[in-house]
Amino acid sequence: MRVIAGVARSIPLITPKGDDTRPTQDRIKETLFNMIQMEVPGAVFVDLYAGSGGIGIEALSRGASHAYFIDRGAEPVKCITANVHKCHFDEKSTIIKKDAAMALRSIHEKEVDIIFIDPPYEADLYEHTLRTLLSLPYVTEYTTIICESNLEEDFSFAEQMGYEIKREKTYKNNKHVFLKKVAKS
C-alpha cells in the first residue's frame, strides 16, 4: 500500500498486522479520490476506523488542511503514527485512540468537510456512527460523509435518520456510499 498522489506520492505505508483491518486497495482509493478531488484541498478530513491511516494520509497528500485519525486499536494507532510521521504530516494530523463515538465528540472544529467511515464490516457500526454524527455541530449539510461497506449493506436506514444518499459507487467486492445531512428548513 502506498500514497497514490500529491506531495507524499509513492511513499509506502505500513499496515497493522493480522486480519482486523482491511486497507482500501490502491485502485479503489484512486477512484474514490478522483470522485472527491475538488473537495479535498483545504478540507478538514476525518478518517474513522482508520486502520493504517491510508485514506486520511491520501487526503493530506492531496491538500487537506488537517486530518483526524480515529481508531481504538493499539496496533492501528501505532501504524497511523508511523505513517503520518513517515509522510511528514505530524503537524496536520490528530490521532485519537478511542471508541469512535467518544472520539467524534472530542473534535472541536467549526465544520468538518469530509468524513470517511470504514468500520469492520461485520461489526454493524454504520447506524450507530451515523446517528452519533447527526448530533455533532461540525457535521453540516455541506459535510460529505463516505461509507465504505460490503456490497450487501443496506443504507436505507440513513434516509430515515435524516441523510440523503447522494451517490453510490460499487466495486467488485465493496462499495462507497456518499451521504449528506438533510438541511433543516
mmCIF file of all heavy atoms in Angstrom, residues 39-85:
data_model
loop_
_atom_site.group_PDB
_atom_site.id
_atom_site.type_symbol
_atom_site.label_atom_id
_atom_site.label_comp_id
_atom_site.label_asym_id
_atom_site.label_seq_id
_atom_site.Cartn_x
_atom_site.Cartn_y
_atom_site.Cartn_z
ATOM 1 N N GLU A 39 -13.110 18.573 -3.561
ATOM 2 C CA GLU A 39 -13.467 18.865 -2.170
ATOM 3 C C GLU A 39 -12.276 18.764 -1.209
ATOM 4 O O GLU A 39 -12.345 19.283 -0.089
ATOM 5 C CB GLU A 39 -14.541 17.881 -1.682
ATOM 6 C CG GLU A 39 -15.863 17.982 -2.417
ATOM 7 C CD GLU A 39 -16.824 16.908 -1.943
ATOM 8 O OE1 GLU A 39 -17.118 16.857 -0.733
ATOM 9 O OE2 GLU A 39 -17.282 16.114 -2.794
ATOM 10 N N VAL A 40 -11.218 18.093 -1.610
ATOM 11 C CA VAL A 40 -10.124 17.773 -0.686
ATOM 12 C C VAL A 40 -9.209 18.958 -0.357
ATOM 13 O O VAL A 40 -8.899 19.170 0.814
ATOM 14 C CB VAL A 40 -9.315 16.559 -1.201
ATOM 15 C CG1 VAL A 40 -8.089 16.304 -0.336
ATOM 16 C CG2 VAL A 40 -10.201 15.323 -1.242
ATOM 17 N N PRO A 41 -8.760 19.768 -1.325
ATOM 18 C CA PRO A 41 -7.836 20.848 -0.970
ATOM 19 C C PRO A 41 -8.433 21.782 0.094
ATOM 20 O O PRO A 41 -9.545 22.277 -0.053
ATOM 21 C CB PRO A 41 -7.608 21.581 -2.296
ATOM 22 C CG PRO A 41 -7.861 20.525 -3.339
ATOM 23 C CD PRO A 41 -8.985 19.693 -2.771
ATOM 24 N N GLY A 42 -7.680 21.965 1.182
ATOM 25 C CA GLY A 42 -8.125 22.831 2.265
ATOM 26 C C GLY A 42 -9.118 22.208 3.230
ATOM 27 O O GLY A 42 -9.529 22.833 4.203
ATOM 28 N N ALA A 43 -9.497 20.963 3.003
ATOM 29 C CA ALA A 43 -10.543 20.308 3.796
ATOM 30 C C ALA A 43 -10.053 19.857 5.166
ATOM 31 O O ALA A 43 -8.887 19.530 5.350
ATOM 32 C CB ALA A 43 -11.091 19.090 3.041
ATOM 33 N N VAL A 44 -11.000 19.825 6.111
ATOM 34 C CA VAL A 44 -10.797 19.135 7.379
ATOM 35 C C VAL A 44 -11.387 17.748 7.161
ATOM 36 O O VAL A 44 -12.563 17.611 6.799
ATOM 37 C CB VAL A 44 -11.478 19.863 8.557
ATOM 38 C CG1 VAL A 44 -11.358 19.036 9.829
ATOM 39 C CG2 VAL A 44 -10.868 21.240 8.756
ATOM 40 N N PHE A 45 -10.578 16.718 7.338
ATOM 41 C CA PHE A 45 -10.909 15.348 6.966
ATOM 42 C C PHE A 45 -10.890 14.460 8.206
ATOM 43 O O PHE A 45 -9.979 14.566 9.023
ATOM 44 C CB PHE A 45 -9.869 14.854 5.948
ATOM 45 C CG PHE A 45 -10.229 13.609 5.210
ATOM 46 C CD1 PHE A 45 -10.764 13.668 3.940
ATOM 47 C CD2 PHE A 45 -10.009 12.353 5.782
ATOM 48 C CE1 PHE A 45 -11.076 12.502 3.244
ATOM 49 C CE2 PHE A 45 -10.324 11.193 5.101
ATOM 50 C CZ PHE A 45 -10.866 11.273 3.819
ATOM 51 N N VAL A 46 -11.883 13.591 8.347
ATOM 52 C CA VAL A 46 -11.901 12.624 9.444
ATOM 53 C C VAL A 46 -11.830 11.219 8.847
ATOM 54 O O VAL A 46 -12.671 10.846 8.025
ATOM 55 C CB VAL A 46 -13.169 12.760 10.323
ATOM 56 C CG1 VAL A 46 -13.206 11.660 11.388
ATOM 57 C CG2 VAL A 46 -13.226 14.135 10.985
ATOM 58 N N ASP A 47 -10.816 10.464 9.246
ATOM 59 C CA ASP A 47 -10.641 9.070 8.832
ATOM 60 C C ASP A 47 -11.044 8.220 10.044
ATOM 61 O O ASP A 47 -10.294 8.081 11.002
ATOM 62 C CB ASP A 47 -9.178 8.833 8.439
ATOM 63 C CG ASP A 47 -8.923 7.472 7.809
ATOM 64 O OD1 ASP A 47 -9.827 6.607 7.832
ATOM 65 O OD2 ASP A 47 -7.792 7.263 7.306
ATOM 66 N N LEU A 48 -12.256 7.691 9.985
ATOM 67 C CA LEU A 48 -12.870 6.990 11.115
ATOM 68 C C LEU A 48 -12.700 5.486 10.953
ATOM 69 O O LEU A 48 -12.961 4.960 9.874
ATOM 70 C CB LEU A 48 -14.351 7.367 11.135
ATOM 71 C CG LEU A 48 -15.180 7.124 12.362
ATOM 72 C CD1 LEU A 48 -14.539 7.655 13.618
ATOM 73 C CD2 LEU A 48 -16.545 7.759 12.180
ATOM 74 N N TYR A 49 -12.291 4.805 12.003
ATOM 75 C CA TYR A 49 -11.887 3.397 11.957
ATOM 76 C C TYR A 49 -10.697 3.321 10.990
ATOM 77 O O TYR A 49 -10.693 2.583 10.014
ATOM 78 C CB TYR A 49 -13.032 2.489 11.508
ATOM 79 C CG TYR A 49 -14.319 2.695 12.272
ATOM 80 C CD1 TYR A 49 -15.362 3.450 11.737
ATOM 81 C CD2 TYR A 49 -14.487 2.146 13.534
ATOM 82 C CE1 TYR A 49 -16.539 3.660 12.445
ATOM 83 C CE2 TYR A 49 -15.668 2.356 14.250
ATOM 84 C CZ TYR A 49 -16.687 3.107 13.700
ATOM 85 O OH TYR A 49 -17.848 3.310 14.406
ATOM 86 N N ALA A 50 -9.688 4.128 11.269
ATOM 87 C CA ALA A 50 -8.639 4.479 10.308
ATOM 88 C C ALA A 50 -7.677 3.352 9.924
ATOM 89 O O ALA A 50 -7.070 3.420 8.861
ATOM 90 C CB ALA A 50 -7.845 5.672 10.830
ATOM 91 N N GLY A 51 -7.507 2.333 10.765
ATOM 92 C CA GLY A 51 -6.613 1.228 10.395
ATOM 93 C C GLY A 51 -5.175 1.670 10.238
ATOM 94 O O GLY A 51 -4.492 1.942 11.210
ATOM 95 N N SER A 52 -4.713 1.803 9.007
ATOM 96 C CA SER A 52 -3.338 2.245 8.729
ATOM 97 C C SER A 52 -3.270 3.756 8.548
ATOM 98 O O SER A 52 -2.179 4.323 8.494
ATOM 99 C CB SER A 52 -2.823 1.575 7.458
ATOM 100 O OG SER A 52 -3.588 2.028 6.345
ATOM 101 N N GLY A 53 -4.428 4.404 8.406
ATOM 102 C CA GLY A 53 -4.462 5.840 8.153
ATOM 103 C C GLY A 53 -4.316 6.206 6.688
ATOM 104 O O GLY A 53 -4.222 7.377 6.336
ATOM 105 N N GLY A 54 -4.332 5.194 5.812
ATOM 106 C CA GLY A 54 -4.086 5.422 4.387
ATOM 107 C C GLY A 54 -5.021 6.414 3.718
ATOM 108 O O GLY A 54 -4.596 7.196 2.867
ATOM 109 N N ILE A 55 -6.285 6.431 4.101
ATOM 110 C CA ILE A 55 -7.248 7.341 3.464
ATOM 111 C C ILE A 55 -6.997 8.780 3.915
ATOM 112 O O ILE A 55 -6.933 9.700 3.097
ATOM 113 C CB ILE A 55 -8.698 6.904 3.755
ATOM 114 C CG1 ILE A 55 -8.978 5.522 3.146
ATOM 115 C CG2 ILE A 55 -9.693 7.943 3.240
ATOM 116 C CD1 ILE A 55 -8.973 5.459 1.631
ATOM 117 N N GLY A 56 -6.837 8.991 5.214
ATOM 118 C CA GLY A 56 -6.554 10.341 5.710
ATOM 119 C C GLY A 56 -5.224 10.880 5.213
ATOM 120 O O GLY A 56 -5.099 12.066 4.898
ATOM 121 N N ILE A 57 -4.224 10.009 5.126
ATOM 122 C CA ILE A 57 -2.914 10.415 4.607
ATOM 123 C C ILE A 57 -3.027 10.800 3.140
ATOM 124 O O ILE A 57 -2.447 11.791 2.701
ATOM 125 C CB ILE A 57 -1.863 9.312 4.842
ATOM 126 C CG1 ILE A 57 -1.530 9.256 6.340
ATOM 127 C CG2 ILE A 57 -0.605 9.540 3.996
ATOM 128 C CD1 ILE A 57 -0.705 8.061 6.772
ATOM 129 N N GLU A 58 -3.810 10.054 2.382
ATOM 130 C CA GLU A 58 -4.035 10.403 0.968
ATOM 131 C C GLU A 58 -4.681 11.787 0.872
ATOM 132 O O GLU A 58 -4.308 12.599 0.016
ATOM 133 C CB GLU A 58 -4.927 9.350 0.298
ATOM 134 C CG GLU A 58 -5.045 9.497 -1.200
ATOM 135 C CD GLU A 58 -3.773 9.131 -1.969
ATOM 136 O OE1 GLU A 58 -3.061 8.188 -1.570
ATOM 137 O OE2 GLU A 58 -3.501 9.801 -2.995
ATOM 138 N N ALA A 59 -5.634 12.066 1.758
ATOM 139 C CA ALA A 59 -6.290 13.385 1.768
ATOM 140 C C ALA A 59 -5.273 14.491 2.074
ATOM 141 O O ALA A 59 -5.254 15.531 1.402
ATOM 142 C CB ALA A 59 -7.432 13.397 2.782
ATOM 143 N N LEU A 60 -4.418 14.271 3.063
ATOM 144 C CA LEU A 60 -3.387 15.264 3.384
ATOM 145 C C LEU A 60 -2.422 15.450 2.218
ATOM 146 O O LEU A 60 -2.042 16.576 1.891
ATOM 147 C CB LEU A 60 -2.619 14.845 4.643
ATOM 148 C CG LEU A 60 -3.387 14.946 5.958
ATOM 149 C CD1 LEU A 60 -2.605 14.281 7.083
ATOM 150 C CD2 LEU A 60 -3.716 16.399 6.304
ATOM 151 N N SER A 61 -2.034 14.365 1.588
ATOM 152 C CA SER A 61 -1.114 14.426 0.455
ATOM 153 C C SER A 61 -1.702 15.245 -0.688
ATOM 154 O O SER A 61 -0.994 15.931 -1.412
ATOM 155 C CB SER A 61 -0.767 13.017 -0.027
ATOM 156 O OG SER A 61 0.193 13.060 -1.058
ATOM 157 N N ARG A 62 -3.026 15.201 -0.797
ATOM 158 C CA ARG A 62 -3.722 15.919 -1.876
ATOM 159 C C ARG A 62 -4.210 17.306 -1.443
ATOM 160 O O ARG A 62 -5.011 17.918 -2.129
ATOM 161 C CB ARG A 62 -4.891 15.087 -2.371
ATOM 162 C CG ARG A 62 -4.450 13.818 -3.092
ATOM 163 C CD ARG A 62 -5.637 12.920 -3.392
ATOM 164 N NE ARG A 62 -5.242 11.661 -3.973
ATOM 165 C CZ ARG A 62 -5.576 11.282 -5.210
ATOM 166 N NH1 ARG A 62 -6.300 12.055 -5.980
ATOM 167 N NH2 ARG A 62 -5.185 10.110 -5.658
ATOM 168 N N GLY A 63 -3.756 17.770 -0.289
ATOM 169 C CA GLY A 63 -4.016 19.158 0.076
ATOM 170 C C GLY A 63 -5.011 19.424 1.186
ATOM 171 O O GLY A 63 -5.339 20.586 1.452
ATOM 172 N N ALA A 64 -5.513 18.389 1.865
ATOM 173 C CA ALA A 64 -6.392 18.641 3.014
ATOM 174 C C ALA A 64 -5.605 19.429 4.056
ATOM 175 O O ALA A 64 -4.391 19.239 4.205
ATOM 176 C CB ALA A 64 -6.897 17.325 3.606
ATOM 177 N N SER A 65 -6.270 20.333 4.780
ATOM 178 C CA SER A 65 -5.566 21.168 5.749
ATOM 179 C C SER A 65 -5.298 20.440 7.059
ATOM 180 O O SER A 65 -4.316 20.725 7.739
ATOM 181 C CB SER A 65 -6.346 22.448 6.022
ATOM 182 O OG SER A 65 -7.598 22.151 6.619
ATOM 183 N N HIS A 66 -6.167 19.496 7.419
ATOM 184 C CA HIS A 66 -5.986 18.749 8.664
ATOM 185 C C HIS A 66 -6.738 17.425 8.562
ATOM 186 O O HIS A 66 -7.794 17.361 7.922
ATOM 187 C CB HIS A 66 -6.516 19.535 9.867
ATOM 188 C CG HIS A 66 -6.026 18.979 11.175
ATOM 189 N ND1 HIS A 66 -4.807 19.336 11.708
ATOM 190 C CD2 HIS A 66 -6.555 18.085 12.030
ATOM 191 C CE1 HIS A 66 -4.621 18.692 12.847
ATOM 192 N NE2 HIS A 66 -5.669 17.909 13.072
ATOM 193 N N ALA A 67 -6.200 16.400 9.194
ATOM 194 C CA ALA A 67 -6.890 15.105 9.230
ATOM 195 C C ALA A 67 -6.911 14.583 10.657
ATOM 196 O O ALA A 67 -5.916 14.667 11.378
ATOM 197 C CB ALA A 67 -6.207 14.090 8.315
ATOM 198 N N TYR A 68 -8.068 14.051 11.033
ATOM 199 C CA TYR A 68 -8.245 13.352 12.302
ATOM 200 C C TYR A 68 -8.266 11.864 11.980
ATOM 201 O O TYR A 68 -9.019 11.438 11.100
ATOM 202 C CB TYR A 68 -9.564 13.751 12.965
ATOM 203 C CG TYR A 68 -9.561 15.157 13.498
ATOM 204 C CD1 TYR A 68 -9.893 16.221 12.679
ATOM 205 C CD2 TYR A 68 -9.221 15.412 14.821
ATOM 206 C CE1 TYR A 68 -9.883 17.519 13.163
ATOM 207 C CE2 TYR A 68 -9.216 16.710 15.316
ATOM 208 C CZ TYR A 68 -9.553 17.756 14.481
ATOM 209 O OH TYR A 68 -9.544 19.040 14.972
ATOM 210 N N PHE A 69 -7.444 11.109 12.684
ATOM 211 C CA PHE A 69 -7.381 9.660 12.510
ATOM 212 C C PHE A 69 -7.941 9.043 13.783
ATOM 213 O O PHE A 69 -7.402 9.278 14.869
ATOM 214 C CB PHE A 69 -5.937 9.208 12.302
ATOM 215 C CG PHE A 69 -5.304 9.776 11.067
ATOM 216 C CD1 PHE A 69 -4.633 10.992 11.106
ATOM 217 C CD2 PHE A 69 -5.374 9.094 9.864
ATOM 218 C CE1 PHE A 69 -4.045 11.519 9.969
ATOM 219 C CE2 PHE A 69 -4.780 9.609 8.713
ATOM 220 C CZ PHE A 69 -4.122 10.824 8.769
ATOM 221 N N ILE A 70 -8.997 8.267 13.655
ATOM 222 C CA ILE A 70 -9.646 7.682 14.820
ATOM 223 C C ILE A 70 -9.633 6.167 14.704
ATOM 224 O O ILE A 70 -10.120 5.595 13.725
ATOM 225 C CB ILE A 70 -11.097 8.197 14.956
ATOM 226 C CG1 ILE A 70 -11.090 9.723 15.155
ATOM 227 C CG2 ILE A 70 -11.824 7.486 16.093
ATOM 228 C CD1 ILE A 70 -12.454 10.372 15.073
ATOM 229 N N ASP A 71 -9.066 5.525 15.714
ATOM 230 C CA ASP A 71 -9.093 4.073 15.818
ATOM 231 C C ASP A 71 -8.859 3.732 17.287
ATOM 232 O O ASP A 71 -8.096 4.416 17.968
ATOM 233 C CB ASP A 71 -8.027 3.424 14.937
ATOM 234 C CG ASP A 71 -8.392 1.992 14.556
ATOM 235 O OD1 ASP A 71 -8.491 1.137 15.466
ATOM 236 O OD2 ASP A 71 -8.590 1.740 13.352
ATOM 237 N N ARG A 72 -9.499 2.698 17.769
ATOM 238 C CA ARG A 72 -9.332 2.358 19.187
ATOM 239 C C ARG A 72 -8.266 1.293 19.422
ATOM 240 O O ARG A 72 -7.891 1.019 20.548
ATOM 241 C CB ARG A 72 -10.658 1.920 19.795
ATOM 242 C CG ARG A 72 -11.168 0.609 19.262
ATOM 243 C CD ARG A 72 -12.453 0.223 19.915
ATOM 244 N NE ARG A 72 -12.819 -1.109 19.472
ATOM 245 C CZ ARG A 72 -13.956 -1.666 19.720
ATOM 246 N NH1 ARG A 72 -14.866 -1.026 20.416
ATOM 247 N NH2 ARG A 72 -14.217 -2.873 19.282
ATOM 248 N N GLY A 73 -7.754 0.696 18.353
ATOM 249 C CA GLY A 73 -6.772 -0.385 18.489
ATOM 250 C C GLY A 73 -5.353 0.132 18.638
ATOM 251 O O GLY A 73 -4.942 1.077 17.969
ATOM 252 N N ALA A 74 -4.580 -0.518 19.514
ATOM 253 C CA ALA A 74 -3.185 -0.118 19.743
ATOM 254 C C ALA A 74 -2.333 -0.310 18.482
ATOM 255 O O ALA A 74 -1.540 0.566 18.120
ATOM 256 C CB ALA A 74 -2.597 -0.920 20.903
ATOM 257 N N GLU A 75 -2.492 -1.447 17.815
ATOM 258 C CA GLU A 75 -1.696 -1.731 16.613
ATOM 259 C C GLU A 75 -2.016 -0.741 15.483
ATOM 260 O O GLU A 75 -1.088 -0.175 14.885
ATOM 261 C CB GLU A 75 -1.928 -3.182 16.171
ATOM 262 C CG GLU A 75 -1.141 -3.606 14.952
ATOM 263 C CD GLU A 75 0.357 -3.772 15.182
ATOM 264 O OE1 GLU A 75 0.779 -3.971 16.329
ATOM 265 O OE2 GLU A 75 1.102 -3.696 14.192
ATOM 266 N N PRO A 76 -3.297 -0.481 15.167
ATOM 267 C CA PRO A 76 -3.588 0.530 14.145
ATOM 268 C C PRO A 76 -3.029 1.910 14.501
ATOM 269 O O PRO A 76 -2.446 2.579 13.647
ATOM 270 C CB PRO A 76 -5.113 0.552 14.077
ATOM 271 C CG PRO A 76 -5.518 -0.804 14.514
ATOM 272 C CD PRO A 76 -4.515 -1.198 15.562
ATOM 273 N N VAL A 77 -3.179 2.331 15.749
ATOM 274 C CA VAL A 77 -2.691 3.658 16.145
ATOM 275 C C VAL A 77 -1.170 3.746 15.981
ATOM 276 O O VAL A 77 -0.635 4.769 15.547
ATOM 277 C CB VAL A 77 -3.150 4.010 17.581
ATOM 278 C CG1 VAL A 77 -2.397 5.206 18.138
ATOM 279 C CG2 VAL A 77 -4.653 4.272 17.595
ATOM 280 N N LYS A 78 -0.477 2.643 16.280
ATOM 281 C CA LYS A 78 0.972 2.591 16.076
ATOM 282 C C LYS A 78 1.309 2.769 14.590
ATOM 283 O O LYS A 78 2.215 3.530 14.233
ATOM 284 C CB LYS A 78 1.498 1.242 16.598
ATOM 285 C CG LYS A 78 2.972 1.213 16.885
ATOM 286 C CD LYS A 78 3.346 -0.015 17.698
ATOM 287 C CE LYS A 78 3.740 -1.132 16.767
ATOM 288 N NZ LYS A 78 4.135 -2.349 17.461
ATOM 289 N N CYS A 79 0.569 2.085 13.717
ATOM 290 C CA CYS A 79 0.787 2.204 12.263
ATOM 291 C C CYS A 79 0.460 3.612 11.764
ATOM 292 O O CYS A 79 1.211 4.185 10.975
ATOM 293 C CB CYS A 79 -0.074 1.197 11.504
ATOM 294 S SG CYS A 79 0.550 -0.468 11.586
ATOM 295 N N ILE A 80 -0.672 4.162 12.208
ATOM 296 C CA ILE A 80 -1.065 5.512 11.790
ATOM 297 C C ILE A 80 0.027 6.509 12.179
ATOM 298 O O ILE A 80 0.450 7.332 11.361
ATOM 299 C CB ILE A 80 -2.418 5.922 12.422
ATOM 300 C CG1 ILE A 80 -3.552 5.042 11.896
ATOM 301 C CG2 ILE A 80 -2.717 7.400 12.153
ATOM 302 C CD1 ILE A 80 -4.828 5.099 12.733
ATOM 303 N N THR A 81 0.490 6.420 13.418
ATOM 304 C CA THR A 81 1.520 7.336 13.912
ATOM 305 C C THR A 81 2.784 7.234 13.064
ATOM 306 O O THR A 81 3.353 8.255 12.656
ATOM 307 C CB THR A 81 1.827 7.040 15.399
ATOM 308 O OG1 THR A 81 0.600 7.142 16.142
ATOM 309 C CG2 THR A 81 2.839 8.010 15.967
ATOM 310 N N ALA A 82 3.215 6.021 12.767
ATOM 311 C CA ALA A 82 4.412 5.812 11.950
ATOM 312 C C ALA A 82 4.208 6.345 10.526
ATOM 313 O O ALA A 82 5.097 7.008 9.970
ATOM 314 C CB ALA A 82 4.769 4.327 11.910
ATOM 315 N N ASN A 83 3.039 6.072 9.937
ATOM 316 C CA ASN A 83 2.763 6.511 8.564
ATOM 317 C C ASN A 83 2.672 8.036 8.465
ATOM 318 O O ASN A 83 3.207 8.634 7.526
ATOM 319 C CB ASN A 83 1.480 5.857 8.044
ATOM 320 C CG ASN A 83 1.679 4.392 7.713
ATOM 321 O OD1 ASN A 83 2.785 3.949 7.384
ATOM 322 N ND2 ASN A 83 0.610 3.620 7.807
ATOM 323 N N VAL A 84 2.005 8.651 9.425
ATOM 324 C CA VAL A 84 1.890 10.116 9.434
ATOM 325 C C VAL A 84 3.285 10.734 9.531
ATOM 326 O O VAL A 84 3.612 11.684 8.809
ATOM 327 C CB VAL A 84 0.969 10.569 10.605
ATOM 328 C CG1 VAL A 84 1.169 12.031 10.942
ATOM 329 C CG2 VAL A 84 -0.487 10.286 10.283
ATOM 330 N N HIS A 85 4.111 10.176 10.406
ATOM 331 C CA HIS A 85 5.472 10.695 10.592
ATOM 332 C C HIS A 85 6.314 10.488 9.323
ATOM 333 O O HIS A 85 7.022 11.401 8.884
ATOM 334 C CB HIS A 85 6.123 10.014 11.799
ATOM 335 C CG HIS A 85 7.458 10.583 12.130
ATOM 336 N ND1 HIS A 85 7.616 11.855 12.644
ATOM 337 C CD2 HIS A 85 8.714 10.057 11.991
ATOM 338 C CE1 HIS A 85 8.915 12.091 12.807
ATOM 339 N NE2 HIS A 85 9.595 11.019 12.424
#
